[in-house]
Amino acid sequence: MTLADLNLVWPELILAGGALALLLIGAFRKSAGPVFDVLAMLVLAAAAVAAACGDQGRAFAGGLVVDNLSAFAKVAIYAASAVAIPLGGSWLRKRGDDKFEFPVLIVLAALGMGMMASAGDLISLYVGIELHSLALYVLAAFRRDDAKSSEAGLKYFVLGALSSGLLLYGASLIYGFAGSTRFEDIAAAVQGHAGNGILFGLVFLICGLAFKVSAAPFHMWTPDVYEGAPTPVVGFFAAAPKLAAMVLLARVLSEGFGGAVEQWRQVIVVLALISVFVGAFAGLNQRNLKRLWAYSSIANIGYALVGLAAGGEAGVQSMLLFMVLYMVDVTGFFACLCALQRDGKPMETIDDMAGLFKERPGLALAMTAFALSALGLPPFSGFFAKFFVFKAAIAAGGYMPAVAAVALVGSVVAAFYYLRLIKAMWFDPAPGAVEKPPLTANAIAIIAALFSFPVVLVALVWLEPLALRAAAAFG
Amino acid sequence: MALQEIAFYVMATVTVLAGLAVVFARNPVHSVLFLIAAFFSAAGLFVLMGAEFLAMLLVVVYVGAVAVLFLFVVMMLDVDFTQLREGFARYLPIGGGVAGILVLEMIMVAVTVANQGAAGRNAVPNASGGADIPNAEAIGRVLYTDYVYFFQAAGLVLLVAMIGAIVLTLRHKPGVKRQNIMAQNARTPATGMTMVDIKPGEGIAE
């Protein structure tokens, strides 16, 4: 290590120092408040600026890679984490469950996700995953007196530990056959025909990462955890960690295993197609919206994986665009769920949403936008997300156009449950009065909906080249 | 036969037998004790390979902490192990399948290693840079230099674990009496005593 290495870790240093300072402030003040939330958001904003404007290069003997991809992913991850803080803070305060650890854990989770996005070594890959997962386990069980929340935390923890075991097993096989944990050396070993052992390791590594992005058939935890965990925490789960894990997957596959692209492409395609169909068909008989959106996120990860499987610059670019647009949608949707309460009870099922348009037209319009966007209807952002993925898949040639076509069938099936939600909101009679939504959640929902349409048209003008620049190093 | 070889065969045999005993022992406490024996002989094998730091780590962490923790859990939780074994026959096919796949993989990996010499070809660079220094010192040289990033991040993982444990379990109960040494020391006869004039037949309200 040299002092120059420290220049590259500014985002991580800011987040780690910020988390420690926040922990001290919280421990002495003994209570969290909006001011504390703002402080945590400032820490994340400072880290995002440092990530966007900092130097690029490799540090710590290749353990940390700072390039356009990591900068792009870090800014998106830190932004999504910053949005989760006021959303969760106001939601928990309303229920008398606010603790100052909530923003601190989100900052630490963001730190872990940033490490994942710029991991250049199996050790930083694993430490980053563990850092953010541990914080997420605690966040899932944050309402510890709520049985469902505790159940969600425990389930996530046990299954997460299992997937970490798979991942470590794979990592140790790869280390054994490549003789190094660094992605560059692994790539050299793969080129030098290190044999099948290293591919065994890769399959296990992909399984562990597939669990983190909840790709089928490693999705079993998703519906239960989404249903039980506090609603704003679910909004956070579905956004930033998935992007971090997808970026990590892209980096491992193209930096470490670029030489074995034919082998891993098959695995990713299988994961993608199973995810799309499990997400589409299993979502059909879900009435609970949090469970429904869990299946929706499984299906959406499937599309992102199609983009990744397409490979090359265009594939990674489409994956990045898809994930960023999806993150805005899903955050907005869960902000809506946070905002809505009827007769003192959170509105969590499709039937609860009946007649929403007459009572809260703003939120109903926002939710309609998110549903149509998840469905992939133009001119909403989800359409552009899918468009880029399918374009990359068709350009990739081989069997990828067929894969794209099959995935499209899955998205037609999924249209049913999105339309059912819209029908309930617009045409069904309301069973009771909806309470006035809290300001923060309402604002986040409306802003996200405006992004979904029409801001996305403007945003894509600069998002697309940015994502292309981020993906340029891969292919 | 050299002394080293005798030591290797003794310890390898003990490791394998203790490992089998962990699985087959009827009493869970015996299982944990056999596990400790397996750890100890594995540590001996590490010493034979010249990895004395790893051996110490195995003894300190696994024997000293993990195995003792197991022992506590087994003894304190009073798990009904006959009940746990009930589904044995039912889950045997699927469990056997998974175990079979793992065994097959290990055999394939071992064959590959035997044929190609996996790490032998891409030899792991020696942390000590080839110099003849003990490996505890070699690890010490890189831990805070090349590996400082991972090391600090691992520290943060532990911090998150600690925060998590506090968030999920700490409860501030009102009305719990705690010892306050400062208050005790500051107590004088003037503050510690009150003179009460009790009226006959009423007692003290407190």
Side-chain angles (χ1 to χ4, degrees):
Chain A
M1 189 200 81
T2 57
L3 278 181
D5 284 1
L6 288 180
N7 258 340
L8 297 176
V9 279
W10 273 116
E12 280 78 14
L13 284 179
I14 291 172
L15 286 181
L20 293 178
L22 286 170
L23 206 55
L24 275 182
I25 296 172
F28 281 107
R29 280 189 57 219
K30 296 214 168 51
S31 66
V35 182
F36 195 75
D37 289 355
V38 170
L39 279 180
M41 288 167 74
L42 281 179
V43 169
L44 282 165
V49 170
C53 313
D55 297 341
Q56 299 198 338
R58 283 165 185 274
F60 304 109
L64 177 95
V65 184
V66 184
D67 54 10
N68 283 329
L69 177 64
S70 79
F72 181 89
K74 275 183 193 174
V75 171
I77 287 166
Y78 296 160
S81 310
V83 171
I85 290 175
L87 191 61
S90 61
W91 193 85
L92 288 169
R93 259 191 292 286
K94 203 167 154 193
R95 283 154 183 78
D97 245 348
D98 59 325
K99 299 192 195 79
F100 70 87
E101 285 95 344
F102 182 80
V104 176
L105 282 172
I106 289 204
V107 170
L108 284 168
L111 170 61
M113 291 185 273
M115 282 186 70
M116 285 164 74
S118 57
D121 189 300
L122 289 176
I123 305 177
S124 43
L125 172 150
Y126 178 69
V127 175
I129 286 182
E130 280 308 293
L131 185 54
H132 100 277
S133 307
L134 267 178
L136 294 190
Y137 303 149
V138 180
L139 287 174
F142 205 78
R143 298 194 70 202
R144 59 185 186 188
D145 295 323
D146 182 49
K148 280 210 156 170
S149 176
S150 310
E151 182 202 333
L154 193 64
K155 257 188 191 158
Y156 195 18
F157 177 69
V158 172
L159 291 173
L162 182 73
S163 83
S164 288
L166 283 179
L167 195 129
L168 274 182
Y169 184 47
S172 63
L173 277 178
I174 293 172
Y175 176 51
F177 282 93
S180 167
T181 54
R182 244 183 305 171
F183 292 169
E184 302 161 12
D185 301 337
I186 293 171
V190 171
Q191 292 289 354
H193 307 290
N196 283 332
I198 203 161
L199 292 178
F200 266 133
L202 175 64
V203 170
F204 277 104
L205 201 68
I206 292 177
C207 291
L209 285 172
F211 176 91
K212 299 292 173 200
V213 296
S214 74
F218 303 98
H219 65 283
M220 307 78 69
W221 60 277
T222 323
D224 290 344
V225 172
Y226 277 30
E227 188 188 357
T231 310
V233 172
V234 181
F236 178 55
F237 273 7
K242 302 230 159 140
L243 174 70
M246 285 304 283
V247 169
L248 182 58
L249 197 56
R251 200 185 280 284
V252 175
L253 292 181
S254 42
E255 272 191 11
F257 291 88
V261 68
E262 278 314 312
Q263 282 89 339
W264 60 252
R265 179 179 277 176
Q266 297 163 2
V267 181
I268 299 290
V269 163
V270 169
L271 284 178
L273 289 183
I274 298 179
S275 301
V276 166
F277 280 95
V278 165
F281 282 100
L284 287 180
N285 55 4
Q286 296 299 331
R287 306 301 297 188
N288 185 303
L289 280 171
K290 282 159 92 179
R291 286 185 84 85
L292 180 62
W293 239 251
Y295 285 109
S296 157
S297 89
I298 294 169
N300 277 301
I301 281 299
Y303 300 119
L305 286 173
V306 169
L308 194 61
E313 206 173 277
V316 176
Q317 182 207 12
S318 72
M319 184 275 284
L320 286 175
L321 277 174
F322 185 93
M323 288 310 293
V324 168
L325 296 179
Y326 173 69
M327 273 163 73
V328 177
D329 271 354
V330 82
T331 308
F333 182 81
F334 281 101
C336 286
L337 282 194
C338 289
L340 289 171
Q341 254 194 342
R342 178 172 275 159
D343 308 328
K345 274 195 208 147
M347 297 162 63
E348 285 187 352
T349 65
I350 292 186
D351 306 315
D352 285 342
M353 291 300 163
L356 187 67
F357 182 67
K358 291 199 188 69
E359 293 175 88
R360 296 274 155 210
L363 280 176
L365 274 175
M367 278 179 82
T368 308
F370 298 134
L372 289 177
S373 176
L375 169 62
L377 207 72
F380 295 98
S381 62
F383 166 73
F384 297 102
K386 280 192 182 138
F387 172 74
F388 282 108
V389 165
F390 290 135
K391 197 175 87 172
I394 288 164
Y399 51 82
M400 286 313 291
V403 171
V406 176
L408 209 57
V409 174
S411 107
V412 173
V413 175
F416 173 73
Y417 52 70
Y418 298 124
L419 291 176
R420 183 159 71 178
L421 169 66
I422 294 172
K423 180 220 159 213
M425 284 191 298
W426 286 66
F427 303 113
D428 289 356
V434 176
E435 288 172 23
K436 192 176 180 318
L439 186 67
T440 328
N442 204 4
I444 292 172
I446 299 295
I447 290 171
L450 284 179
F451 180 86
S452 190
F453 180 77
V455 180
V456 67
L457 301 174
V458 188
L460 270 180
V461 173
W462 53 266
L463 253 181
E464 195 196 342
L466 267 183
L468 188 66
R469 216 168 53 129
F474 293 85
Chain B
M1 200 190 269
L3 187 65
Q4 277 208 336
E5 278 179 47
I6 298 172
F8 170 77
Y9 283 113
V10 169
M11 283 191 279
T13 320
V14 172
T15 312
V16 173
L17 289 183
L20 285 174
V22 172
V23 186
F24 290 112
R26 292 218 157 259
N27 188 332
V29 178
H30 293 171
S31 282
V32 178
L33 292 175
F34 277 119
L35 190 65
I36 293 176
F39 282 148
F40 258 117
S41 38
L45 290 174
F46 276 132
V47 172
L48 282 183
M49 289 168 73
E52 70 274 3
F53 183 72
L54 212 52
M56 284 300 116
L57 220 58
L58 199 67
V59 172
V60 172
V61 176
Y62 280 87
V63 178
V66 176
V68 172
L69 207 67
F70 274 160
L71 213 53
F72 270 120
V73 171
V74 166
M75 285 168 146
M76 290 172 83
L77 284 190
D78 192 25
V79 185
D80 188 356
F81 284 88
T82 47
Q83 202 186 352
L84 277 182
R85 292 213 178 104
E86 260 176 12
F88 186 73
R90 191 151 58 96
Y91 297 118
L92 190 62
I94 191 159
V98 172
I101 290 172
L102 283 178
V103 167
L104 214 65
E105 272 181 4
M106 282 180 184
I107 291 172
M108 287 176 78
V109 167
V111 168
T112 325
V113 172
N115 286 343
Q116 302 190 342
R121 260 188 343 161
N122 318 302
V124 183
N126 192 344
S128 57
D132 192 21
I133 54 168
N135 55 51
E137 191 182 335
I139 290 172
R141 282 188 188 177
V142 291
L143 198 56
Y144 283 101
T145 52
D146 288 351
Y147 289 84
V148 66
Y149 177 60
F150 310 132
F151 191 68
Q152 295 297 330
L156 285 172
V157 173
L158 290 182
L159 176 71
V160 171
M162 193 180 82
I163 297 174
I166 293 174
V167 168
L168 296 182
T169 56
L170 181 69
R171 284 170 203 274
H172 291 289
K173 281 187 198 146
V176 176
K177 292 191 173 162
R178 288 172 199 276
Q179 185 177 27
N180 185 346
I181 294 175
M182 283 214 282
Q184 284 178 353
N185 285 341
R187 210 169 117 105
T188 59
T191 56
M193 257 193 319
T194 40
M195 300 297 286
V196 187
D197 190 14
I198 307 169
K199 286 186 181 130
E202 280 185 10
I204 305 172
E206 208 180 23

